[in-house]
Amino acid sequence: KMMAIDSVTLIKDIISAVSGVTKQDASTIENFAKMQLQDIAQQSVNFAVGLADHSIKDDEQQDFLDNIAEMTRSFANTLAGLMVVEAEKIWNAVVEVIWNTINTATGLTLSAPAF
């Protein structure tokens, strides 16, 4: 005989699982972003100051701009990668809650799908 699944409880359990994943990783992602953005901002300030005081010559300007662009591209790519990992962790947490609930209600041992 199947045990009834309470959808309200299931939703609360899913939200709890997602919150557990996102709260844990949010500070790590935030700290990474702050450090990288500080570096990009400082490089931008250094470039602007160098232009203003003429310590950066005309033939060096493009190298500085290319460096800032590459720093920004690397930041965006790394952040995107972290978000993919975060999405996978969230998906895994939600699937685990749902499959555990189904398994408990049915007495079966269904294998959860992979991301």
Side-chain angles (χ1 to χ4, degrees):
K1 182 179 178 201
M2 186 180 127
M3 204 174 91
I5 295 175
D6 179 7
S7 62
V8 173
T9 300
L10 180 56
I11 291 169
K12 287 179 182 176
D13 290 345
I14 291 169
I15 290 170
S16 177
V18 170
S19 295
V21 169
T22 57
K23 285 178 185 172
Q24 178 182 350
D25 293 340
S27 65
T28 301
I29 292 171
E30 183 179 346
N31 289 337
F32 162 77
K34 281 181 182 176
M35 289 185 331
Q36 292 299 304
L37 292 175
Q38 286 171 349
D39 290 345
I40 293 167
Q42 187 59 54
Q43 186 70 3
S44 301
V45 168
N46 293 345
F47 178 67
V49 168
L51 289 178
D53 71 9
H54 304 289
S55 62
I56 295 177
K57 307 300 179 214
D58 289 345
D59 62 344
E60 298 172 319
Q61 288 181 18
Q62 193 58 52
D63 288 338
F64 275 89
L65 291 172
D66 289 346
N67 184 42
I68 293 168
E70 183 55 36
M71 290 172 74
T72 304
R73 185 179 298 100
S74 293
F75 165 74
N77 288 337
T78 302
L79 193 57
L82 290 171
M83 300 316 283
V84 168
V85 169
E86 187 72 7
E88 183 175 350
K89 286 180 177 181
I90 290 168
W91 189 86
N92 286 332
V94 171
V95 165
E96 180 180 350
V97 168
I98 294 168
W99 262 248
N100 285 342
T101 300
I102 292 170
N103 286 338
T104 299
T106 63
L108 299 174
T109 307
L110 302 171
S111 296
F115 184 73

